[in-house]
């Protein structure tokens, strides 16, 4: 993965065919975090707790639907990916990269949850079966894409072709 | 949290000087981010910068509190505003809740 240039408010990224395939695969996994994962509060006596939890659930569900639509658009939009010299080029705005970060991190956290949340409160170990290995791989891949996108939005990655 | 390097700056983000003070808002709720072993430190810092408009240093301070102390109180607000911030943080899949202040 490379940042080719930053021009006209868009970041132009180059992905090898395998990287593009992996990114699209991860995007198609979205959403992986169960709808019931997020809790508004730990306080069981919070006034109107249930109503407010429901409002949060609805807001997050609407967000998930919006993200799913945006993924379909991103993946299928004509001209979004251009192929040349054995690599794919894709142009993204800062806002799109922010959105990609949210989506890819959902896949990362969802994969971790699917493995049984290893390292969190319970000391249980991950069973090294096929499913766990698959989710471990998704989690690591999502992390790699996250670091790449973060590097771009934070200005840590220098474009190869400055204009 | 998983360890990563820190970003130097986050361009294009305006600092929000309104967060963090109870007296400014008559606020009875705190927004807390809880530690987990999956969200990358670099990512958590970024999300704090985006959601609260904080400069990197302040975002990092809170991220390190989460990492070392298990949680960080990010802001103290009215219920409505605290709910807004919890939603924003959870949109990014951070482990955030609101609690009554002083608990």
């Amino acid at each position: 993965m490379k940042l080719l240039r930053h021009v006209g408010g868009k970041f132009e990224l180059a992905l090898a065919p395998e990287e593009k395939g992996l990114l699209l695969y991860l995007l198609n996994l979205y959403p992986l975090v169960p709808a019931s994962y997020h809790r508004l509060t730990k306080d069981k006596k919070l006034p109107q707790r249930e109503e407010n939890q429901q409002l949060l659930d609805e807001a997050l569900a609407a967000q998930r639907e919006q993200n799913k639509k945006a993924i379909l658009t991103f993946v299928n939009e004509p001209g979004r990916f251009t192929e040349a010299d054995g690599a794919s080029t894709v142009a993204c705005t800062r806002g799109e990269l922010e959105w990609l970060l949210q989506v890819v991190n959902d896949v990362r956290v969802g994969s971790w949850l699917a493995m049984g949340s290893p390292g969190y409160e319970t000391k249980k170990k991950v069973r090294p079966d096929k499913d766990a290995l698959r989710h471990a791989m998704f989690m690591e891949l999502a992390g790699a894409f996250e670091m790449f996108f973060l590097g771009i939005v934070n200005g840590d990655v220098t474009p190869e072709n400055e204009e | 949290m998983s360890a990563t390097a820190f970003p130097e700056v986050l361009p294009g983000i305006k600092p929000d000087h309104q967060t963090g003070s109870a007296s400014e808002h008559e606020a009875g709720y705190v927004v807390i981010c809880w530690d987990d072993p999956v969200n990358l430190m670099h990512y958590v810092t970024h999300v704090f910068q985006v959601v609260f408009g904080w400069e990197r240093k302040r975002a990092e301070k809170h991220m390190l509190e989460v990492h070392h102390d298990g949680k960080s109180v990010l802001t103290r607000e009215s219920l409505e505003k605290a709910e807004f911030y919890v939603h924003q943080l959870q949109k990014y899949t951070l482990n955030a809740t609101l609690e009554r202040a002083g608990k």
Side-chain angles (χ1 to χ4, degrees):
Chain A
M1 290 178 285
K2 285 187 279 195
L3 173 62
L4 294 178
R5 57 182 70 82
H6 179 205
V7 62
K10 290 210 169 188
F11 298 93
E12 205 175 298
L13 322 180
L15 304 173
E18 299 82 2
E19 291 166 340
K20 179 189 170 189
L22 288 170
L23 177 61
L24 297 186
Y25 193 89
L26 291 178
L27 294 182
N28 279 322
L29 292 173
Y30 179 87
L32 274 192
V33 172
S36 59
Y37 175 65
H38 290 297
R39 309 310 301 161
L40 178 67
T41 181
K42 292 176 186 279
D43 182 355
K44 290 186 176 150
K45 291 178 181 167
L46 188 84
Q48 297 176 303
R49 181 171 179 255
E50 293 305 318
E51 293 89 329
N52 288 326
Q53 178 65 50
Q54 197 182 335
L55 287 173
L56 177 71
D57 291 345
E58 285 169 9
L60 289 169
Q63 184 69 43
R64 270 194 298 276
E65 285 310 308
Q66 209 177 318
N67 282 345
K68 276 156 68 175
K69 280 183 193 158
I71 289 169
L72 282 176
T73 305
F74 184 82
V75 170
N76 297 315
E77 192 180 11
R80 168 68 74 172
F81 288 91
T82 53
E83 318 292 329
D85 301 326
S88 289
T89 306
V90 57
C92 298
T93 62
R94 176 181 293 277
E96 286 168 338
L97 287 172
E98 278 296 332
W99 162 76
L100 278 169
L101 274 169
Q102 286 179 23
V103 168
V104 170
N105 197 56
D106 176 283
V107 173
R108 179 173 166 84
V109 175
S111 302
W112 172 72
L113 290 170
M115 284 192 291
S117 318
Y120 189 57
E121 290 177 2
T122 55
K123 298 284 179 202
K124 71 181 173 192
K125 289 184 177 170
V126 178
R127 273 186 311 158
D129 59 17
K130 253 188 184 175
D131 254 5
L133 290 173
R134 223 170 120 251
H135 281 113
M137 186 183 70
F138 296 154
M139 194 179 91
E140 291 306 321
L141 284 171
F145 278 106
E146 261 180 69
M147 291 307 294
F148 179 56
F149 297 144
L150 281 170
I152 294 170
V153 294
N154 289 325
D156 297 335
V157 174
T158 312
E160 288 212 337
N161 308 307
E162 293 276 14
E163 288 186 7
Chain B
M1 280 182 290
S2 302
T4 63
F6 302 138
E8 280 304 309
V9 288
L10 190 69
I13 290 175
K14 290 177 191 164
D16 176 1
H17 298 295
Q18 293 186 338
T19 57
S21 165
S23 58
E24 285 170 3
H25 301 284
E26 300 172 4
Y29 295 87
V30 288
V31 175
I32 298 177
C33 186
W34 304 87
D35 190 29
D36 62 46
V38 65
N39 280 299
L40 300 166
M41 294 167 85
H42 191 144
Y43 178 77
V44 174
T45 303
H46 174 78
V47 174
F48 289 169
Q49 287 181 270
V50 171
V51 170
F52 295 106
W54 291 342
E55 289 173 3
R56 191 196 75 166
K57 203 172 172 185
R58 185 173 178 189
E60 264 179 22
K61 176 186 163 284
H62 283 278
M63 178 277 293
L64 288 171
E65 264 180 29
V66 174
H67 185 60
H68 294 302
D69 304 339
K71 66 175 185 179
S72 177
V73 174
L74 304 178
T75 184
R76 186 172 168 149
E77 304 288 350
S78 64
L79 178 60
E80 194 182 348
K81 208 162 178 192
E83 282 173 340
F84 168 79
Y85 282 126
V86 168
H87 177 220
Q88 294 305 306
L89 294 164
Q90 293 186 350
K91 241 168 65 174
Y92 280 90
T93 340
L94 294 197
N95 188 3
T97 62
L98 65 85
E99 309 297 336
R100 279 181 286 189
K103 283 201 78 182

